[in-house]
């Protein structure tokens, strides 16, 4: 049977940014009443954007965490948009933010059924306890990611720092499963 190509979808990109300056969160609330800020519950201000649809946590230290982006480029755009909004509300931002991708989460479908039992015995760095969790946990060393693989051939890849690492990791796993005949197509 001809090889089926895996489909992969980036679900969430988490990026951190630092402004290298303190931010008065109460001033942000005054200039932008749509934000959420409850310092007695959580020290960060929650800033939601509609486009790109993201949530950015802003801390008084000037550190920010952006979640919900579908690509690294979109995460960068979201942080820049939040900074523009801060500037509009009168917050003085001195420097460009230093942005770093912390985690990329992707889902995928291999297009065939995976034999998790055999894969768990043969592949290194795996954990499979079906009574506790229905997926095989595979810790890949290069690229350094964790893949949750299900018998249906569906998977979740997490821990990547670059989008290309997601594609490389899924392709590597797919090839490995085919070489060992741990994946079968109907």
């Amino acid at each position: 049977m001809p090889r089926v190509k895996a489909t992969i979808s980036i679900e969430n990109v988490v990026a951190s940014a630092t402004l290298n300056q303190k931010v008065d969160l109460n001033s942000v609330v005054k200039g932008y009443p749509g934000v959420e800020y409850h310092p007695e519950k959580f020290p960060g201000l929650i800033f939601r954007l509609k486009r790109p649809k993201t949530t950015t946590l802003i801390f008084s230290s000037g550190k920010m965490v952006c979640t919900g982006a579908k690509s690294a480029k979109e995460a960068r755009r979201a942080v820049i948009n939040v900074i523009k909004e801060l500037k509009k509300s009168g917050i003085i931002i001195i420097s460009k933010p230093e942005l770093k991708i912390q985690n990329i989460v992707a889902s995928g479908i291999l297009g065939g059924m995976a034999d998790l039992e055999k894969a768990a015995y043969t592949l290194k760095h795996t954990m499979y306890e079906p009574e506790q969790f229905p997926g095989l946990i595979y810790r890949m060393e290069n690229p350094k990611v964790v893949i949750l693989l299900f018998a249906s051939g569906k998977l979740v890849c997490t821990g990547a720092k670059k989008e290309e690492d997601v594609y490389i990791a899924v392709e590597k796993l797919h090839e490995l499963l085919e070489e060992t005949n741990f994946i079968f197509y109907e």
Side-chain angles (χ1 to χ4, degrees):
M1 174 142 204
R3 179 153 194 249
V4 177
K5 184 140 172 62
T7 57
I8 302 166
S9 174
I10 304 287
E11 302 295 340
N12 186 21
V13 175
V14 178
S16 64
T18 182
L19 298 172
N20 294 312
Q21 71 181 68
K22 300 263 184 230
V23 176
D24 181 354
L25 299 180
N26 289 314
S27 293
V28 176
V29 173
K30 285 179 191 142
Y32 229 90
V35 298
E36 289 177 43
Y37 183 48
H38 306 286
E40 64 287 347
K41 291 182 185 170
F42 182 70
L45 180 140
I46 302 169
F47 199 114
R48 288 179 174 53
L49 286 177
K50 286 189 173 89
R51 292 187 70 170
K53 190 171 177 4
T54 55
T55 300
T56 301
L57 304 176
I58 305 171
F59 298 91
S60 59
S61 63
K63 293 197 184 304
M64 302 166 76
V65 178
C66 176
T67 64
K70 301 292 185 194
S71 68
K73 191 176 175 182
E74 196 174 90
R76 184 173 304 283
R77 197 168 72 237
V79 168
I80 288 166
N81 287 352
V82 167
I83 290 168
K84 281 181 188 170
E85 294 298 328
L86 291 176
K87 286 179 178 178
K88 271 190 212 171
S89 67
I91 307 296
I92 297 164
I93 307 292
I94 301 161
S95 60
K96 272 187 168 176
E98 292 173 28
L99 191 105
K100 185 176 179 192
I101 301 301
Q102 297 295 339
N103 185 22
I104 298 174
V105 180
S107 63
I109 302 170
L110 297 179
M113 302 291 283
D115 188 333
L116 302 183
E117 201 72 41
K118 284 182 182 172
Y121 282 114
T122 310
L123 302 178
K124 291 180 182 172
H125 313 294
T126 62
M127 196 167 90
Y128 181 54
E129 296 178 26
E131 315 79 40
Q132 305 218 337
F133 181 69
L136 172 110
I137 301 167
Y138 178 49
R139 296 180 188 284
M140 190 176 281
E141 290 188 341
N142 189 17
K144 192 169 171 55
V145 299
V146 175
I147 297 176
L148 307 177
L149 177 63
F150 299 92
S152 64
K154 291 182 179 179
L155 61 84
V156 175
C157 177
T158 186
K161 305 280 189 204
K162 296 184 284 191
E163 289 175 51
E164 68 191 84
D165 285 350
V166 171
Y167 296 96
I168 292 167
V170 171
E171 183 61 27
K172 257 175 114 169
L173 176 63
H174 202 183
E175 284 176 9
L176 193 57
L177 292 172
E178 284 191 334
E179 286 167 11
T180 53
N181 292 318
F182 294 159
I183 190 166
F184 48 96
Y185 307 99
E186 294 175 347

